[in-house]
Amino acid sequence: MELETKCLHAGYEPENGGARALPIYQSTTFKFDSTDYVGKLFDLTAADHFYTRLSNPTVDAVEKKIAALEGGVGALCTSSGQAATMLSLLNIVSAGQHIVSTSTIYGGSLNLLAVTFEKLGIEVTFVDGDAPLEELQKAIRPNTRAVFGETLANPALTVLDIEKMAELAHSNGIPLIVDNTFATPILCRPFEFGADIVVHSTTKYMDGHAVQMGGVIVDSGKFDWSASGKFPCMTEPDESYHGLIYAESFGEAAYITKARVQLMRDMGTCQTPMGAFLLNLGLETLPLRIRQHSANALTVAQYLESLDDVEYVCYPGLESNAHHAMAQKYLPEGTSGVISVSIKGGRERAAKFIDHLKMISLEVHVADIRTAILHPASSTHRQLTDEQLIAGGITPGLVRLSVGLENVNDILADLKQAFAAIQE
């Protein structure tokens, strides 16, 4: 099946006389006929749903759909994108080990890696993803266990050279983990370029309607944990399962199985049946939405680029963008609906511009069907001085514009009237 068809049909097939729409299995637990069978479930020698923290039929169907969209062997839905990122790394990295990450990643992920992971005894080196391979290699240590980056960085909108980062990871016997949230598998499938693990904040475009928090981890099944020799967590006995060895017992699905039966078991950051149902509704229309988001955003970015009131526009779909060639390689169908634009006049004028918008919503959110905007200097980064903002790569006048699915002429009209309102 093609991607559009998978969004509608993958993961769930009704039985004869069964519900056409994915049912909601609103139950935390399930009934069995024998203690022997339940024992096999806990030994991982039988596969079935027995407690919704680990698996549920509704959640399972959505996991299978997302795995099919990304081209993976399995997926694990989580309570949020942050949970997905956390579990994806903790599944293979522990205290005393090291991660290499690109520096242009979502602020929440940056804090997770730089602050919380440090408290757990995990070191992280942040690198410039645009640096040549030989320069990136200098960041690798004997205890490095993963390379991490975002297909489209939030909010920097840099485009990750996935093939280069995969070469960096694989030449050192470690996996590449890619956050594919903004691109979605409709615009880019990182596994096709060498990535090993993909994560998403499904709260964004996959849901698309700003109704349900969620995240997901997808396993390509391609990384050879045994050949690497660096992951005893995969190749040596897990005493919490009577000495089971994941790489031997689950083969290409070793990573995603371990994430579910060990980390989700212990940390409990699970998706709910109702949450998965709502996510599935978003997935069914994802191809239509993400392509229209991209088309609308390109039109808006071209308009913004023409204005004297604008310092610069960061959108890789623009031919003038430094990452345009990379975008053509990895995201030929579009580069999402998110634009970073810096308005002349600093934080006060940018804030004034936003306050004059009428249809476009001021929200601490992104990747919604409705156009939304946020001014970092007045909100998420308001504690910083203008000098500190610039040092962090954020101009005081920077706004993040998430272009929605309204008629693009209405979006442009709202932007035009707001610019007119702030003229001296």
Side-chain angles (χ1 to χ4, degrees):
M1 293 186 289
E2 299 296 329
L3 288 174
E4 295 83 356
T5 310
K6 287 180 181 179
C7 281
L8 293 170
H9 293 281
Y12 170 68
E13 184 174 345
E15 298 177 353
N16 184 41
R20 173 61 272 186
L22 175 65
I24 306 169
Y25 286 82
Q26 193 62 47
S27 179
T28 61
T29 191
F30 305 87
K31 180 183 178 296
F32 301 98
D33 293 332
S34 74
T35 55
D36 179 64
Y37 185 69
V38 173
K40 290 178 180 179
L41 292 174
F42 277 83
D43 285 341
L44 306 183
T45 57
D48 214 332
H49 307 288
F50 62 90
Y51 195 58
T52 287
R53 169 156 43 91
L54 290 179
S55 67
N56 171 282
T58 307
V59 181
D60 177 66
V62 177
E63 290 171 343
K64 288 176 178 174
K65 176 174 289 188
I66 295 173
L69 291 172
E70 285 285 10
V73 297
L76 175 65
C77 281
T78 64
S79 56
S80 68
Q82 280 291 91
T85 299
M86 177 183 71
L87 295 189
S88 73
L89 289 162
L90 291 184
N91 199 34
I92 53 173
V93 185
S94 57
Q97 296 180 337
H98 175 250
I99 298 166
V100 171
S101 171
T102 56
S103 57
T104 52
I105 58 174
Y106 166 58
S109 300
L110 187 71
N111 199 75
L112 171 67
L113 271 60
V115 179
T116 301
F117 273 24
E118 182 180 359
K119 295 177 181 178
L120 299 177
I122 298 170
E123 290 188 275
V124 181
T125 298
F126 294 97
V127 298
D128 179 0
D130 291 335
L133 189 60
E134 55 270 21
E135 188 67 25
L136 295 170
Q137 177 61 39
K138 295 177 183 178
I140 301 291
R141 306 175 186 174
N143 64 338
T144 305
R145 291 297 178 267
V147 176
F148 181 83
E150 295 180 0
T151 307
L152 276 170
N154 175 14
L157 296 177
T158 54
V159 179
L160 187 70
D161 189 343
I162 302 172
E163 289 184 341
K164 180 181 70 177
M165 301 306 284
E167 183 179 349
L168 172 69
H170 297 161
S171 64
N172 290 281
I174 57 178
L176 171 62
I177 301 177
V178 173
D179 184 330
N180 200 35
T181 296
F182 275 6
T184 81
I186 306 303
L187 300 180
C188 180
R189 285 163 295 285
F191 294 156
E192 296 177 2
F193 300 100
D196 302 290
I197 311 297
V198 159
V199 297
H200 290 268
S201 170
T202 63
T203 315
K204 309 305 190 297
Y205 284 120
M206 282 188 167
D207 162 37
H209 297 74
V211 296
Q212 181 60 46
M213 297 290 293
V216 70
I217 308 168
V218 190
D219 182 5
S220 71
K222 296 178 181 179
F223 190 82
D224 193 331
W225 305 102
S226 298
S228 168
K230 294 185 176 183
F231 297 94
C233 61
M234 294 289 181
T235 59
E236 294 182 6
D238 179 354
E239 296 307 325
S240 69
Y241 283 109
H242 311 293
L244 175 146
I245 298 174
Y246 294 102
E248 291 182 2
S249 297
F250 300 103
E252 63 180 8
Y255 171 91
I256 202 67
T257 301
K258 178 179 179 294
R260 181 185 303 279
V261 303
Q262 189 186 80
L263 270 74
M264 186 62 78
R265 174 197 66 187
D266 294 346
M267 296 184 177
T269 56
C270 61
Q271 182 57 274
T272 65
M274 177 59 76
F277 174 80
L278 293 171
L279 170 57
N280 186 63
L281 291 180
L283 289 170
E284 289 180 341
T285 61
L286 178 59
L288 292 170
R289 289 187 292 103
I290 193 62
R291 289 173 178 136
Q292 191 60 50
H293 277 293
S294 298
N296 280 359
L298 181 58
T299 300
V300 171
Q302 289 169 338
Y303 161 70
L304 292 170
E305 195 175 39
S306 70
L307 299 180
D308 292 335
D309 276 313
V310 169
E311 288 181 314
Y312 65 84
V313 179
C314 185
Y315 186 69
L318 292 172
E319 293 184 5
S320 58
N321 187 271
H323 287 87
H324 182 70
M326 201 74 70
Q328 292 296 298
K329 175 179 179 179
Y330 292 113
L331 303 111
E333 290 193 66
T335 52
S336 89
V338 184
I339 303 169
S340 288
V341 53
S342 185
I343 296 173
K344 291 179 181 178
R347 68 172 72 202
E348 290 185 6
R349 196 159 185 262
K352 185 178 179 182
F353 166 77
I354 291 175
D355 290 343
H356 279 90
L357 292 167
K358 296 179 179 179
M359 180 191 72
I360 297 171
S361 302
L362 173 58
E363 298 178 7
V364 187
H365 186 51
V366 69
D368 186 9
I369 53 173
R370 302 163 191 86
T371 300
I373 198 165
L374 185 69
H375 181 219
S378 298
S379 55
T380 55
H381 295 69
R382 70 177 293 116
Q383 74 279 12
L384 303 182
T385 65
D386 287 358
E387 291 73 20
Q388 289 172 322
L389 286 170
I390 293 170
I394 300 172
T395 60
L398 182 76
V399 298
R400 184 185 68 188
L401 180 64
S402 178
V403 179
L405 299 184
E406 301 93 346
N407 186 293
V408 71
N409 291 323
D410 291 325
I411 300 171
L412 292 173
D414 198 18
L415 293 170
K416 290 175 182 177
Q417 68 82 23
F419 276 115
I422 64 171
Q423 299 305 315
E424 296 288 333

